[in-house]
Amino acid sequence: MDAGLDSSLAPAPATPAAPTIASIDEGRRLIDDIDVQLRALVAVRRDISRQIQTLRTGEGGPRVQHGRENEIIAAWADDLGPRGVEIALAVLTLCRGSLT
Ligand SMILES: C=C(O[C@@H]1C=C(C(=O)O)C=C[C@H]1O)C(=O)O
């Protein structure tokens, strides 16, 4: 067992199918629920990222690793295209802080 992400954070299917909605209100409720989950996951990601950075700097390493970040950006680009790159950059900035 790894370091304890509970089952609510288990990997989602690669591309979950969107439900067919019957109304705008229903669709907006679903979007609001998705956004709550996205924000919660980003907060967890940020905490894990900070722990990794602390571990690495504690060993005398750099806080930031551009090679790793490029892999992450490429994965977002593969799945979501140029807007995915924008999201990846925003997520990275939020999780690891400023580069300067
Ligand atoms: C978390 C890490 O440290 C930094 C933060 C990253 C992130 O938030 O994804 C990625 C690379 C590093 O710049 C890591 O190296 O994995």
Side-chain angles (χ1 to χ4, degrees):
M1 184 78 176
D2 65 24
L5 290 182
D6 69 32
S7 60
S8 64
L9 297 175
T15 308
T20 300
I21 60 170
S23 69
I24 290 171
D25 279 351
E26 182 193 359
R28 286 183 172 176
R29 277 194 297 276
L30 290 167
I31 283 175
D32 287 346
D33 287 348
I34 289 168
D35 286 352
V36 166
Q37 293 177 54
L38 286 172
R39 290 194 294 273
L41 283 172
V42 169
V44 173
R45 188 197 191 285
R46 178 177 57 187
D47 186 55
I48 294 169
S49 178
R50 286 176 174 169
Q51 292 181 56
I52 291 172
Q53 293 169 68
T54 299
L55 286 170
R56 193 165 48 241
T57 55
E59 295 168 351
R63 189 174 65 82
V64 172
Q65 284 196 343
H66 295 291
R68 168 67 175 154
E69 294 198 4
N70 287 337
E71 291 173 3
I72 291 167
I73 293 165
W76 281 79
D78 285 348
D79 282 351
L80 296 174
R83 299 290 85 81
V85 172
E86 293 176 2
I87 296 170
L89 293 171
V91 167
L92 284 166
T93 301
L94 193 146
C95 291
R96 62 108 157 89
S98 165
L99 286 173
T100 56

